[in-house]
Amino acid sequence: MKDVYILSVETSCDETSIAIVKNGTEVVALTILTQMDTHANFGGVVPEIASRMHTENITMVLEETLNKAHMKVEDVDAIAVTYCPGLLGSLLVGVEFAKVLSYVYKKPLIKVNHLIGHIYANKIDNKMEFPVLALVISGGHTELIKMTGDYEFEKLGETEDDAIGEAFDKVARVIGLPYPGGPNIEKLARDGHDTYKLPKPVMDDTYNFSYSGLKSSVINLVNNERQRGNEIRKEDLACSFQTTAVEELTRKLELALKNTDIKNVIIAGGVSANKYLRGQIQELCDKYDAKLNLPEFIYCTDNAAMIGAAAYPLYLKRDFADLELNAKSTSSIC
Ligand code: KG4
Ligand code: ZN
């Protein structure tokens, strides 16, 4: 079969990224331009600034990617783009850009859901074996999905309130760490111990998650200690929070491993870059004799390579979008 090259575009949040991916698994070139430093000045992503910066930078990111690949747009087989979920203004920049490329170069257009992109990051340089349990853990989502084949999803559970990444970011802010909170909590937690008593995961038998209780209890604890004039042991608090947050995930994943007898597990989304979390999930998978697939760190957080990987099965099915394609801020996998 002829090799398939997909040029993919990702602008759903604060990374402008373009990749060329071969046969859905091999990254020929990838460029990620992050706006993190700009947004850090504001303590979080400012949507208006994000979309303006995507507009300013996207052509340069395309050129850099094509140069790295020694390819021209004419050489690729399709153009893929993230169309949901994310910041509407940011998504629109990528969608309109991809539509122009598709029209001018007469290439089919493929629309990709960002969360499905995170899942397919597991296919890069790797095989995804089905059935598989996918834990999608990002800034906006916490979902446990069962996949029986390509694009065959069944949602087992999701968060009832906050997403895990959101909880990391809010807790980071309350203890005075800069944006993005997740990686900074992880760093601080390495020097701490799990000494603070925080509410443990609810022992129910659903696959749903909850993070708002944990988040609020950290915020209340910090406020109470400050009012009393007590010092907060930030390292210990970061460690206690991270331990409890990860326990909520492992408990539900363990339930699914027991109940379904599925022997493949993948983790997807920005929070899957957390090394402590990766270690805990690996231990759990070992206990159940399940194979854990971990994407490389660069493919865990937002990047266009995962969008190219997720577009490949759609390319094979000739599942193409037309130029009426619009961006959508909200969406779930299934
Ligand atoms: O997938 P992602 O890059 O963007 C979304 O689609 O949301 O995920 C971003 C989230 C943020 O909440 C960030 O704090 C979190 O992933 N994150 C981490 C780590 N790296 C990124 N959380 C915990 N530990 C990390 N190392
Ligand atoms: Zn993401």
Side-chain angles (χ1 to χ4, degrees), residues 81-320:
V81 63
T82 306
Y83 79 107
C84 73
L87 301 171
L88 192 60
S90 291
L91 286 165
L92 274 171
V93 178
V95 167
E96 293 308 315
F97 189 75
K99 275 158 62 169
V100 169
L101 290 180
S102 156
Y103 180 74
V104 172
Y105 293 95
K106 300 189 173 50
K107 304 287 177 187
L109 181 66
I110 303 172
K111 62 179 170 81
V112 176
N113 176 311
H114 179 81
L115 299 171
I116 297 180
H118 275 304
I119 289 180
Y120 275 82
N122 286 280
K123 270 210 170 174
I124 298 174
D125 302 328
N126 222 324
K127 276 205 176 97
M128 196 149 70
E129 284 166 42
F130 302 113
V132 62
L133 291 169
L135 204 46
V136 182
I137 41 179
S138 72
H141 293 81
T142 309
E143 298 186 10
L144 182 59
I145 309 274
K146 174 179 161 186
M147 278 179 83
T148 44
D150 271 318
Y151 277 79
E152 284 169 20
F153 306 104
E154 183 194 329
K155 192 188 291 173
L156 300 180
E158 65 189 327
T159 182
E160 288 170 354
D161 37 62
D162 294 348
I164 181 169
E166 200 180 342
F168 266 91
D169 293 338
K170 292 212 175 121
V171 165
R173 194 189 281 213
V174 83
I175 58 177
L177 300 176
Y179 172 85
N184 287 316
I185 293 259
E186 179 180 8
K187 245 184 256 157
L188 199 64
R190 270 182 228 142
D191 299 324
H193 300 280
D194 177 13
T195 53
Y196 281 99
K197 285 216 164 9
L198 298 173
K200 292 289 166 199
V202 178
M203 294 296 167
D204 64 9
D205 56 3
T206 74
Y207 296 116
N208 289 339
F209 307 91
S210 170
Y211 281 101
S212 79
L214 174 61
K215 176 197 73 185
S216 306
S217 77
V218 174
I219 295 173
N220 292 340
L221 190 147
V222 170
N223 289 340
N224 290 339
E225 292 295 76
R226 280 192 184 138
Q227 269 173 5
R228 291 192 196 115
N230 294 340
E231 280 274 313
I232 293 149
R233 300 181 315 276
K234 289 186 179 178
E235 290 80 2
D236 290 346
L237 188 54
C239 178
S240 305
F241 164 75
Q242 182 174 264
T243 308
T244 314
V246 170
E247 214 178 302
E248 171 81 345
L249 289 182
T250 48
R251 208 183 90 69
K252 296 306 166 98
L253 182 60
E254 177 156 24
L255 203 61
L257 283 166
K258 256 190 219 159
N259 291 350
T260 63
D261 208 27
I262 290 176
K263 295 291 180 200
N264 294 298
V265 175
I266 58 177
I267 52 175
V271 186
S272 63
N274 186 295
K275 292 204 182 83
Y276 171 74
L277 179 150
R278 290 161 87 103
Q280 292 301 105
I281 293 188
Q282 182 67 64
E283 251 179 46
L284 180 65
C285 288
D286 290 346
K287 181 173 158 194
Y288 285 86
D289 233 349
K291 193 172 143 225
L292 174 65
N293 195 24
L294 294 166
E296 248 185 76
F297 286 105
I298 188 169
Y299 304 127
C300 287
T301 44
D302 292 350
N303 70 88
M306 66 187 199
I307 303 305
Y312 182 65
L314 300 177
Y315 177 88
L316 295 182
K317 284 197 291 182
R318 297 286 183 265
D319 188 348
F320 299 138

Side-chain angles (χ1 to χ4, degrees), residues 4 11 20 22 25 31 47 66 75 80 87 155 194 271 316 331:
V4 174
T11 62
I20 296 177
K22 182 179 161 188
T25 60
T31 309
L66 291 170
D75 302 329
L87 301 171
K155 192 188 291 173
D194 177 13
V271 186
L316 295 182
S331 162

